Amino acid sequence: MPQKHKVSLIPGDGIGPEVTLATQKIIDATGVNIEWEICEAGAKVFKKGLGTGVPRETVDSIIRNKVALKGPLETPVGFGEKSANVTLRKMFDTYGNIRPISEFAGINTPYSGRGIDIVIVRENVEDLYAGIEHMQSPGVAQCLKLISRKGCEKIIRLAFEFARSEGRKMVHCATKANIMKATEGLMKRTFEEIAKEYPDIESHHIIVDNCAHQMVKKPEQFDVIVTTNMNGDILSDLGSALIGGLGFAPGANIGDQFSIFEAVHGSAPKYAGKNVINPTAVLLSGVMMLRHLGEFEAAKLIDNALLTTLAADKVLTRDIVGDTGAASTTQYTDAIIGNLGKMYSEYKDRNYHPIKMPHIRQDQDFVRVSKRGVNGIDLFIETDKPVVQFAKELELAAANSTMKLKMISSRGVRVYPAEQGATPDLTDSFSCRFVSKEIHTDVKDADIIHLLQKVEPHVRWSHIEKLNEFDGVAGYSKSHGED
Ligand code: NAP
C-alpha cells in the first residue's frame, strides 16, 4: 500500500486554477497517494475584506499538512495590502526559496546544448522584502534592509545541504558586499566561514552584478547560487529567460517545519481561463514536492514523461511555438499523462536524496558579544533650511551636550563640512552624525534625549540610529566623503 500524504492545495488567482489542476491530474496519474485539501488565498480573499489574503482555514490546513502546493496569487495594487505570497512565506518561516533553472530537451533557446543546470537558493524572509518602509520626510522614502547572522547561516547551510542532496559540486554566493559591507557583507563573511564545513563542495564568492553578467555570458559555469532575497528574485527571473521563460521555472519555499511549492511566475491575468498557458513550472514545483515527500519514483516518472512530451512528441504550448500549432493547457496535460511510464533516453538521473535540513540554534541572541558601546548617534532630520545655516544651529544646540556634530549627509553623501568643489543635489532629508566629545566615552540614553530636546526647536527629526560598537568593531557605515 503506497504511503498516504496530505497536501494543502491553493489554486490561486488568474491562471492558477488551470496550472494547479493540470499538476494535480498528472501527479494523481502516477499513482502516488495524495489527499489534496483545497484552500483559498489571494485576490478573492482580499476582496472579501481580509487584509492578509490568507484565511484562517488555509493557515490551519498548512499547519496540519506541513506541505502545500500553491498557484500564483495576485497582489492587488493600490489597496495597501501586503502580498499574500510574502505573508505565507513569512508566516511559515519558509526561509529558503529554491529555484532550479535547467535546460529542457525540445525547448530551443539561444543557449540550447550548453547544459544550463543551475539552482538559485534565495533567502526568502529577510532583506528589503521584509517591507519595512517609512517616509523620512515628504520627499524621501526609506526601506530597511535587515539581514541577520542567523538568517545567513540558515540559507547558506541549506544551499550546501541542497547541493549534497542532488550530488552537486559547487556553490557560489552572490552578494553586493563591496557596497553594503554590513548587510550583504554579513552574507559573504558567513558564507566563507560555513563553506569550510563542506570541503566536498567547491565554494566561490561572486559580486552579484557580475553574477548576472556571467549568467548571460556563460551560464553553464554555475551549479548552485546562494544569495540574498532581492538578488535571488532578480537572478532567478533572469535565469528562467535563458531556458525558455517563466513557464519552465519551478520553485520551493522550504523551512524547518513547512514547505510551500510554487512556480516563479505570477497569475498572468491576461491568459486566465483561456486554456493556453504552460503548466510546466507548477508541475515541476510539484515534482520538487514529490521528492520532498520521498516519492522519488513518481518524480522520475513525471520528469521523463515531460521530456518525452517536449522533445520526442514535440507537444508544445503557446509560449514556445506561438498561436499556430500550439497545444492547449489540457492537451499538453493529457499528453504528459499519456507518456507516464516512458523513459527519455537523455534523462539525467541525479540519484536524489532527501535534503538534510540544517540544524540552527533557536536562541534569540544568536550572536553574543562581550563588550558593547555607543559612540554617538545618526539623527535623521527634515528641513528646508540651507545646510550651513541648520548645521550652525545644530552645533550651537549641542554646545552643552556630551556629543558634537561630526558631519551631515544627504542620502549617504557628506554635505557638511562640504567637500571643496562637490555639489550633491539636496532633498529635505538629512542624516546628522553626532559623536561623543570624549573618545572612548559611552553615549548614554539620557545624553541622547537631552540632545533631542535641544535640537527639536530648529529641525524636525524623524528617527535616530545609535552608533553601536560590538567587541571593538564599529557597527555602522561611513558616509561617502566621511573621514
Ligand atoms: P506574471 O504573472 O509572471 O506574468 C508575466 C508574463 O510572463 C506573462 O504575461 C507571460 O508572458 C509570462 N508567463 C507567466 N507565466 C507563464 C506561464 N505559466 N506560461 C507561459 N508564460 C507565462 O507576472 P506579472 O504580470 O508581473 O504579475 C501578475 C500578478 O501575479 C501580479 O498581481 C503579481 O503580484 C502576481 N505575482 C505572483 C507571484 C506568486 O504568486 N508567487 C509571483 C509573481 C507575480 P507573455 O506576456 O510574454 O506571454
Side-chain angles (χ1 to χ4, degrees):
M1 193 55 187
Q3 196 196 340
K4 182 171 177 176
H5 309 279
K6 276 184 118 182
V7 170
S8 305
L9 177 68
I10 303 173
D13 301 319
I15 59 168
E18 291 163 76
V19 287
T20 51
L21 179 65
T23 301
Q24 192 187 352
K25 277 170 75 178
I26 296 167
I27 290 179
D28 285 345
T30 65
V32 285
N33 190 353
I34 293 184
E35 185 184 327
W36 305 93
E37 238 173 59
I38 311 293
C39 306
E40 270 196 336
K44 269 190 261 144
V45 182
F46 281 124
K47 281 172 194 153
K48 283 184 198 160
L50 187 66
T52 59
V54 186
R56 185 68 235 175
E57 303 83 69
T58 300
V59 174
D60 288 341
S61 169
I62 300 175
I63 290 175
R64 267 195 311 277
N65 299 330
K66 309 266 185 288
V67 178
L69 181 67
K70 185 180 109 21
L73 304 180
E74 188 190 320
T75 308
V77 179
F79 289 86
E81 290 94 352
K82 293 266 180 193
S83 152
N85 296 305
V86 179
T87 300
L88 278 167
R89 286 173 205 158
K90 283 177 179 294
M91 195 178 272
F92 293 102
D93 198 27
T94 54
Y95 65 85
N97 185 200
I98 298 179
R99 293 181 160 184
I101 297 157
S102 306
E103 179 178 333
F104 288 90
I107 303 301
N108 290 324
T109 73
Y111 294 92
S112 289
R114 288 171 64 167
I116 296 177
D117 188 11
I118 306 171
V119 178
I120 307 269
V121 179
R122 164 192 173 198
E123 201 290 322
N124 215 19
V125 291
E126 299 194 333
D127 196 4
L128 293 165
Y129 288 28
I132 307 168
E133 297 195 291
H134 298 95
M135 293 304 292
Q136 288 276 311
S137 66
V140 175
Q142 161 193 290
C143 179
L144 281 187
K145 180 175 169 81
L146 292 181
I147 304 249
S148 70
R149 164 73 199 206
K150 195 192 240 178
C152 291
E153 208 168 313
K154 282 165 90 167
I155 195 66
I156 289 162
R157 285 188 188 282
L158 183 66
F160 280 107
E161 292 298 342
F162 179 82
R164 277 186 178 165
S165 79
E166 295 209 340
R168 293 175 180 268
K169 294 284 169 237
M170 185 168 46
V171 178
H172 277 84
C173 177
T175 77
K176 195 71 188 168
N178 50 332
I179 303 294
M180 288 165 274
K181 295 182 167 53
T183 50
E184 295 274 321
L186 183 57
M187 182 79 165
K188 176 176 184 280
R189 291 189 294 277
T190 310
F191 175 77
E192 284 160 353
E193 264 176 53
I194 306 266
K196 294 185 192 129
E197 296 176 32
Y198 294 87
D200 51 319
I201 295 173
E202 208 180 305
S203 63
H204 303 277
H205 174 262
I206 184 165
I207 301 285
V208 66
D209 33 349
N210 184 32
C211 185
H213 163 239
Q214 293 292 334
M215 275 178 73
V216 174
K217 199 173 152 196
K218 203 177 163 208
E220 61 275 19
Q221 70 185 290
F222 293 108
D223 196 350
V224 174
I225 301 173
V226 62
T227 187
T228 48
N229 202 337
M230 188 157 126
N231 292 338
D233 200 5
I234 297 169
L235 289 183
S236 54
D237 260 40
L238 182 156
S240 75
L242 307 178
I243 50 108
L246 284 170
F248 290 94
N253 300 295
I254 304 273
D256 290 333
Q257 297 183 54
F258 304 99
S259 300
I260 302 174
F261 296 82
E262 63 172 337
V264 172
H265 65 71
S267 59
K270 67 181 175 186
Y271 296 121
K274 295 198 172 141
N275 197 21
V276 294
I277 206 73
N278 182 355
T280 311
V282 173
L283 174 63
L284 291 171
S285 309
V287 169
M288 293 174 82
M289 180 188 81
L290 289 174
R291 294 207 172 94
H292 177 80
L293 294 170
E295 296 286 357
F296 293 100
E297 274 311 306
K300 191 170 166 179
L301 272 181
I302 296 178
D303 271 347
N304 279 283
L306 173 67
L307 290 173
T308 307
T309 306
L310 295 173
D313 299 352
K314 304 206 181 325
V315 177
L316 300 164
T317 42
R318 202 204 119 274
D319 51 320
I320 302 304
V321 288
D323 288 325
T324 317
S328 67
T329 309
T330 44
Q331 285 166 338
Y332 182 74
T333 306
D334 292 342
I336 295 172
I337 293 173
N339 281 329
L340 284 170
K342 292 187 190 159
M343 299 310 276
Y344 183 68
S345 55
E346 289 163 41
Y347 176 67
K348 186 168 157 193
D349 198 349
R350 281 201 166 276
N351 189 17
Y352 293 95
H353 299 284
I355 303 178
K356 190 166 145 274
M357 287 303 285
H359 176 70
I360 307 279
R361 285 191 348 247
Q362 292 296 308
D363 341 8
Q364 262 176 271
D365 56 341
F366 190 69
V367 179
R368 292 176 194 149
V369 289
S370 47
K371 209 171 101 224
R372 56 172 73 224
V374 178
N375 297 336
I377 59 167
D378 278 342
L379 175 68
F380 290 79
I381 61 147
E382 176 196 336
T383 182
D384 55 6
K385 293 178 186 174
V387 174
V388 175
Q389 181 189 329
F390 79 79
K392 295 294 172 210
E393 289 174 8
L394 293 179
E395 280 168 349
L396 274 177
N400 295 322
S401 158
T402 57
M403 287 177 273
K404 61 179 181 197
L405 180 67
K406 182 177 181 218
M407 61 119 204
I408 298 171
S409 62
S410 167
R411 290 166 296 153
V413 180
R414 192 185 79 187
V415 294
Y416 181 85
E419 189 69 57
Q420 278 266 286
T423 53
D425 194 11
L426 299 180
T427 66
D428 54 1
S429 172
F430 298 88
S431 167
C432 308
R433 179 158 288 183
F434 289 91
V435 294
S436 176
K437 284 178 182 163
E438 303 292 330
I439 299 175
H440 304 310
T441 305
D442 225 12
V443 169
K444 302 281 184 293
D445 287 357
D447 302 328
I448 298 172
I449 291 162
H450 175 257
L451 180 68
L452 288 179
Q453 284 166 342
K454 295 288 175 195
V455 157
E456 189 249 309
H458 304 282
V459 289
R460 283 196 179 90
W461 66 273
S462 55
H463 81 264
I464 61 165
E465 289 288 342
K466 285 185 178 176
L467 302 179
N468 287 311
E469 191 177 288
F470 299 121
D471 285 337
V473 178
Y476 47 92
S477 58
K478 285 187 171 182
S479 289
H480 294 284
E482 184 182 356
D483 44 33

